[in-house]
Amino acid sequence: MTIRPLLRYPDRRLATPAHPVTAFDGALRELAADLLDTMRAAPGIGITAPHIGVPLRVVVLELDAKAGPQTYVNPEIEWASPEMILHKEGSVSMPGVNDEVQRHARVRISYWDLDGNMHSEESDGLRAVCHQHEIDQLDGMFWIQRLSRLKRERLVKKFEKMSRD
């Protein structure tokens, strides 16, 4: 397991859609373990392979230390509730800034585990927000793109100032 360097916003690789995983092997397990170590060191509660410059559809979430981490390979949103919620979001690739983003209150996703078995999961609250946030990242959409232009520009300026200091 290795802590890998994180890409920083505005690295253009964060805006590139990730490729589906086709090999469920030791290299995938090693990537998932590295993602977990990197996420914990950041610190964060969710990370994607694109955050470390690997253009594959892999997400690791750890929302509860007791429940432990979960890896999602090739996740896709199958259904989203019409009800929306606001939730404060940020990114390991843009530390120190966050803002409220509107997301679906509940979602159902399909994904594969590290052994190549398909699963379906319905979530709400923070887990639903994380599913949508990380799948957006896999699709090349950085979370601040969901904000108004004014809010986005303000956050970018704040992040640039923090990065200089």
Side-chain angles (χ1 to χ4, degrees):
M1 280 72 57
T2 304
I3 296 171
R4 305 241 204 135
L6 288 162
L7 299 183
R8 294 290 188 157
Y9 179 85
D11 192 302
R12 61 184 168 76
R13 291 173 287 177
L14 293 169
T16 303
H19 304 290
V21 170
T22 56
F24 293 83
D25 55 11
L28 179 61
R29 281 183 176 63
E30 187 176 315
L31 173 61
D34 288 356
L35 283 168
L36 179 60
D37 288 345
T38 304
M39 178 187 72
R40 286 175 171 166
I45 59 172
I47 193 169
T48 66
H51 282 115
I52 60 168
V54 177
L56 291 174
R57 294 186 72 82
V58 180
V59 172
V60 174
L61 295 180
E62 188 171 38
L63 307 182
D64 176 359
K66 197 185 304 182
Q70 185 158 7
T71 301
Y72 300 87
V73 180
N74 300 332
E76 298 290 341
I77 295 174
E78 294 182 335
W79 170 85
S81 70
E83 304 87 35
M84 305 297 281
I85 58 173
L86 280 175
H87 201 281
K88 197 165 276 210
E89 297 185 27
S91 175
V92 295
S93 290
M94 195 181 204
V97 298
N98 54 57
D99 208 329
E100 287 193 327
V101 177
Q102 188 171 39
R103 299 278 186 184
H104 295 279
R106 294 185 322 280
V107 294
R108 182 174 48 250
I109 65 167
S110 61
Y111 68 95
W112 282 261
D113 62 24
L114 292 171
D115 296 318
N117 300 309
M118 183 151 199
H119 298 272
S120 182
E121 179 179 324
E122 212 164 295
S123 59
D124 60 10
L126 178 60
R127 184 169 295 274
V129 166
C130 290
H131 284 155
Q132 293 167 82
H133 175 103
E134 303 303 356
I135 290 171
D136 271 358
Q137 184 61 65
L138 295 177
D139 293 339
M141 178 182 274
F142 199 66
W143 73 278
I144 63 172
Q145 291 175 261
R146 295 229 176 243
L147 300 174
S148 69
R149 189 176 58 95
L150 183 64
K151 281 185 172 185
R152 187 171 52 249
E153 288 171 358
R154 190 176 63 229
L155 279 181
V156 169
K157 281 182 184 159
K158 180 180 178 182
F159 180 65
E160 288 169 347
K161 183 180 184 313
M162 290 170 56
S163 298
R164 282 191 307 268
D165 295 344

